[in-house]
Amino acid sequence: MPSLLCLDLGTSAAKAALLDLDGAVHGRASCTYSIRTDPGGTAEQDPQDWLHAARVAITDLLRDHPTPGGLLALGLTGQMQDLVLLPETEPTPPAILYSDTRAVQDAEEIHDWLRQEGISWEEVTGNLQDATSCAAMFRRLTRTAPELVGRARAVVFGPAGHLARALGCGNWCDPTTAAATGLLDARTGAWSAPVARAAGLEEEQLPALITATGQVVGLTGTSAQELLGLPPGLPIVLAPGDAGATTLGIIGLEVGDDYAYLGTSGWIADVTPREGAEDGPVGATQSRAAHRLALASGGDHERDLRISALLAAGAAADWARAALLDGASPAVADAQLAAREAREGRGPTGLLALPSILGERYPVRDAELRAAIIGMGPHTRGIDMYAAVLEGVAQALAQAAGASAPAPEAVGEAPSPLAVTGGGAASEPWLRILADVTGRAVRAIDGTDAALVGCAIAAADALGLDHRIHPLASRPGGLTVAPDPSAARAHAALRAPHRALYTAVAEVRALG
């Protein structure tokens, strides 16, 4: 059977895989690259490292996993919100990554410039905007490196777009990546001319936007042989950026689909209608704290990917095991949680905990917020506080999922379990806590290949192929945990007090 060659150029590595039209993965390979950081907020990568890693990953993959049925396409996805300047001649300067925070002054200047024009940057883009906006990054370069800006003939916004250009496809960007740049008008789905001017960008420097979930942007030619060792005539499909590709690979992109991620950070990602979405593009404070990323049009409806991200999920659990359980391993901590549950049953610990050891992004944006645990008494022990930290992560995710106190007969009656992926999904006690806090059944999913599966779906659809590549959550397997009705009602009653704790802790900090 012929294969789709999919490439995910992530933050730390290029990952390549071969998938057939039944969705089976026949091989994987990867090659890492480094990030240059410094205490001043720098986060940069060399675009040449992306190209080198792509070649190594693809070469190793095809050497170890021959494709007698041939290749159908090269699908591309990768990290988003990186600023890549494209000069007329080499070398390409370092790419500024999404985590670079040097453009604080420049973000403020863009806000001010647009306000003088009667424009709200956040109303235009549908998201809060700060130093990590590509618009702010470019404006900073006009101030600090005018010679680089003068050489730039165009920009792209991530390694997938950079590789597509290197393969001779021109300059392209998918809507999901574009929505993360601070330059896309969320109301029109086009680049915002006022924001581009405020950033110092010419509109003709911006890449073209694809109009489908995956789009053929060119064919491999001589450059593909030189760069990647691929034969000529292979369709090159630009898939959504990694957030969109991962979502597509886990749950699909239908309105109402959602999943939770419990890694070092954590989030709830859900697909929402663009028009009539709760609070509009930028509404109440909690809604503003979520990221809204455009998806390509689906049928008669415009859709957004809403990502409500916590800065610490697994990181908070790691901290709590070190600080409260004498450095216990995850397995030992799970055993202690199971023993606690056997003694006391399922239900709230009686403590309220904020997991915000690194500051917070959801349900509030507050870089200075710090964690807290309240409610300790004479019988409180370390395992109780550890459980409370896991409850705190679950409560924040429940805020994102819009969970509210369920009626007894409604507990667990969501149309499908909440898919949960990431390292935390391996913890059965944490899955039970998440089910109880959200009042919804949860199901552990191995999301290792999620972005590559999503890339393959986008590529197969773009080529009009008859395929059976399905999102991971639609496949059998994975532990499913149902909520305990009594525990779910008790946790739901704590939703408002837990949300109020963010404000209370911030106010106490301000007094200090």
Side-chain angles (χ1 to χ4, degrees), residues 8-10 15 76-80 174 176 213 239-253 257-262 267 269-271 293 295 305 307 419-422 445-458 470-473:
D8 174 17
L9 292 157
K15 301 174 185 177
L76 303 177
T77 184
Q79 59 177 307
M80 310 187 305
D174 68 278
T176 307
T213 300
D242 56 5
T246 297
T247 302
L248 177 56
I250 294 176
I251 56 172
L253 297 179
D257 290 340
D258 62 354
Y259 76 94
Y261 175 73
L262 289 175
W267 63 75
D270 61 328
V271 182
L293 304 177
L295 297 169
L305 174 60
I307 299 178
V420 184
T421 188
I445 300 293
D446 180 359
T448 304
D449 293 325
L452 293 164
V453 170
C455 185
I457 293 172
H470 302 301
L472 298 171

Side-chain angles (χ1 to χ4, degrees), residues 150-162:
R151 290 177 55 228
R153 295 297 174 262
V155 297
V156 290
F157 297 113
H162 178 65

